[in-house]
Amino acid sequence: MSTKLNIINTLENSTKKSIVFLVLIGFAGLFIRLIYFPYDVPLFNDSQGYFWYAIDTSILYQLPPGHTIVNNGWPLFLSIIFQLMDSNNFLDYQNVQRFVGVTFSVATIFPVYLLCSRYFKKSYSLLGAALFVFEPRLIQNSFAGTPESMYVFLMALLLFLFLSNNFKKIYLAFAVTGLLAIIRYEGLLMIIPISVMFFIRFRKQKKDLIKFIICIAIFILILAPMAYLKNETMGQDGFVSHISVGVDIQSPIWTPADLLNPGSINLIKYVGWAQIPSFIIFVPLGIIFIFKKMDYKKSTIIFTIVVMLIPAFYAYSRDFQEIKYIFVLYPIFCVLACFTFKIFLEKFHRKNLIFCIIIGGIILSSMIFVEWKALDSEHYRELYEIMTEIGQIEMKINTEFGKYGQLLYFHWVNVQNAEKFPILKKDLPQSKMTYTPTNDWEVVYDFDSLRDYFQFLEKQKITHLILDKYGNDKFRHELNLHLLDMFNHENRYAFLVKEYDSRENGFNYHLKLFKIDYDLYNEWINEN
């Protein structure tokens, strides 16, 4: 007589099969990331700063001066890996930087599973781990080359260790808190919830006060050397100094409402967006269930959410429109989701079907979202190649135009011109192509006419103009239409001498480079 397979019971009764299942979803998560991995696409935005900090550190074997990177734990870790590499192609190093992020993103399923297992049995915890590894925004962020993947890994590990009854693991939790603060300085705030919860858990035993002092000593021993080294190379410790300076940079004429209104609205908006698509059903219900029969484990989760929303609120009050400030809560979202998984699987009789539907729904929604928001890697490869080609022309260009931002890969042109790599950032050769710093360009968005715009270009000694078919919606409507017309009907503008057309060089992305003849422009503007 055959026995029907019960997935839940099988996973609960066999540690080996639970581990196999966890490893399989880990490989599945890695496989998806490798499919969408932006091979040989240069880094951009914040990841560039981390890259150069890591390269300089790997060459100098010490913290490099001249950098403004405050959260230097991530590039320091990368520098160790870079020292082991043997390549003269900077793209190889950048691929490794991204792959390390991918590795941490996938590896986080282990502390997430262990964290969930502090609250639930194996099968529910495995669903929580699956929810994490297939979360589409974390998949996309793992390609960024930034510290979020490592930061989230440490947060999940910290919570798992702290919730242990073994004091050795609690000591480790305080050590991980120090590492968390080195990766991102706002991680320093985690010392608050774990300290408070420590006394709530062990308040009846006076001898545990000594253990707490040991915990704090471990935390300080992790943090103090890095604070000292940062102070030596940057003039600030990068922890308390950076948090305290945040208050001073706010305008003195702002009222509390000026911070509370955008901060609250943006926080609600981004926490809501973070639920789509994977958490939208499970987390809201989990929030309701977590308040039933409160204990120190649930209190730790709630207190951590409240504390780690503080830096997110602060960032959003300053109008930093990025969802990355919510990522640190994703392991906790997985725990909250497990409360809902538990209810679903206990209320319905067809447990196998419910389990499979949940797994299938997580994977399907993830794939749809990732495909929808996937980075156009081919476009960015073309943009890099285009910038490499036009970067050999001596000129000063505009910086405010284009959907993708033409200067995205401007700095990598200098790397291509270097005789060797790795090389210190300060030793990069000077570029023939220069530009005016972005802050000086914000005024152009207020211009009403083409005359005002070109007067500004001439004042800034801009020699060349880069245009593409997308224009820039930050411009006033009339000016934007003029510039789009220049791109589409260049023959109407005799003062623009085309020196480069990407379509003529076999690229799909259409970008044009014009040299500006201001004498002809003045004649043209007077005639029109």
Side-chain angles (χ1 to χ4, degrees), residues 307-327:
V307 170
M308 295 315 292
L309 282 177
I310 294 173
F313 171 81
Y314 176 66
Y316 294 139
S317 69
R318 296 170 62 196
D319 205 30
F320 290 168
Q321 302 285 336
E322 294 183 274
I323 200 170
K324 68 179 183 180
Y325 301 106
I326 307 298
F327 287 162

Side-chain angles (χ1 to χ4, degrees), residues 11 50 199 219 233 237-238 292 327 338 414 487 499 510 513:
L11 293 174
Y50 294 117
F199 283 106
F219 171 73
T233 56
D237 60 60
K292 294 182 178 180
F327 287 162
C338 285
N414 297 347
F487 178 83
E499 292 194 347
H510 200 184
L513 174 69

Side-chain angles (χ1 to χ4, degrees), residues 5 13 36 54 126-127 181 197 200 207 213 305 312 321 328 332 371 387 411 453 498 523:
L5 174 67
N13 297 327
Y36 291 96
L126 288 170
L127 287 176
M197 293 310 304
I200 290 176
K207 64 179 182 179
I213 293 173
I305 292 174
Q321 302 285 336
V328 70
I332 297 177
E371 180 63 31
M387 292 302 296
H411 298 289
Y453 178 65
K498 186 168 72 174
E523 293 178 11

Side-chain angles (χ1 to χ4, degrees), residues 150-220:
M150 191 176 188
Y151 187 58
V152 174
F153 173 87
L154 291 174
M155 173 59 80
L157 181 62
L158 160 62
L159 292 173
F160 158 68
L161 292 171
F162 180 73
L163 292 173
S164 172
N165 291 321
N166 184 333
F167 251 99
K168 292 180 180 179
K169 291 182 180 179
I170 295 175
Y171 291 146
L172 284 175
F174 278 82
V176 172
T177 305
L179 295 176
L180 193 73
I182 292 173
I183 300 302
R184 290 193 64 86
Y185 68 85
E186 58 265 35
L188 188 66
L189 293 175
M190 273 304 295
I191 197 64
I192 300 173
I194 65 172
S195 295
V196 172
M197 293 310 304
F198 184 96
F199 283 106
I200 290 176
R201 289 178 64 184
F202 306 111
R203 61 184 181 275
K204 295 181 181 180
Q205 303 178 44
K206 292 184 178 180
K207 64 179 182 179
D208 288 329
L209 176 61
I210 298 175
K211 293 181 179 179
F212 178 74
I213 293 173
I214 295 173
C215 289
I216 293 298
I218 292 172
F219 171 73
I220 293 174

Side-chain angles (χ1 to χ4, degrees), residues 9-203:
N9 289 339
T10 300
L11 293 174
E12 291 301 327
N13 297 327
S14 174
T15 301
K16 181 179 179 181
K17 290 179 180 178
S18 295
I19 294 173
V20 169
F21 186 89
L22 185 63
V23 171
L24 286 176
I25 62 174
F27 276 118
L30 177 62
F31 179 71
I32 292 175
R33 285 163 172 79
L34 293 180
I35 290 175
Y36 291 96
F37 194 95
Y39 299 95
D40 298 330
V41 174
L43 297 169
F44 46 87
N45 298 334
D46 292 344
S47 56
Q48 295 185 23
Y50 294 117
F51 174 78
W52 281 115
Y53 195 103
I55 288 293
D56 285 4
T57 303
S58 68
I59 295 173
L60 297 173
Y61 295 95
Q62 62 182 26
L63 297 191
H67 289 263
T68 58
I69 297 293
V70 176
N71 300 309
N72 64 345
W74 168 246
L76 287 177
F77 182 81
L78 290 174
S79 70
I80 298 172
I81 300 174
F82 287 173
Q83 287 175 3
L84 303 176
M85 294 181 62
D86 183 20
S87 173
N88 56 8
N89 184 350
F90 79 95
L91 285 172
D92 291 339
Y93 292 83
Q94 298 196 352
N95 284 334
V96 167
Q97 180 169 337
R98 282 194 171 104
F99 188 74
V100 173
V102 166
T103 302
F104 272 107
S105 180
V106 174
T108 306
I109 64 170
F110 296 104
V112 165
Y113 167 75
L114 294 171
L115 173 61
C116 292
S117 67
R118 295 292 191 203
Y119 301 84
F120 305 98
K121 57 186 184 180
K122 296 174 186 176
S123 54
Y124 307 153
S125 300
L126 288 170
L127 287 176
L131 190 61
F132 182 90
V133 79
F134 293 115
E135 211 297 316
R137 286 191 177 85
L138 295 180
I139 292 174
Q140 292 172 326
N141 178 263
S142 66
F143 306 142
T146 49
E148 286 78 30
S149 292
M150 191 176 188
Y151 187 58
V152 174
F153 173 87
L154 291 174
M155 173 59 80
L157 181 62
L158 160 62
L159 292 173
F160 158 68
L161 292 171
F162 180 73
L163 292 173
S164 172
N165 291 321
N166 184 333
F167 251 99
K168 292 180 180 179
K169 291 182 180 179
I170 295 175
Y171 291 146
L172 284 175
F174 278 82
V176 172
T177 305
L179 295 176
L180 193 73
I182 292 173
I183 300 302
R184 290 193 64 86
Y185 68 85
E186 58 265 35
L188 188 66
L189 293 175
M190 273 304 295
I191 197 64
I192 300 173
I194 65 172
S195 295
V196 172
M197 293 310 304
F198 184 96
F199 283 106
I200 290 176
R201 289 178 64 184
F202 306 111
R203 61 184 181 275

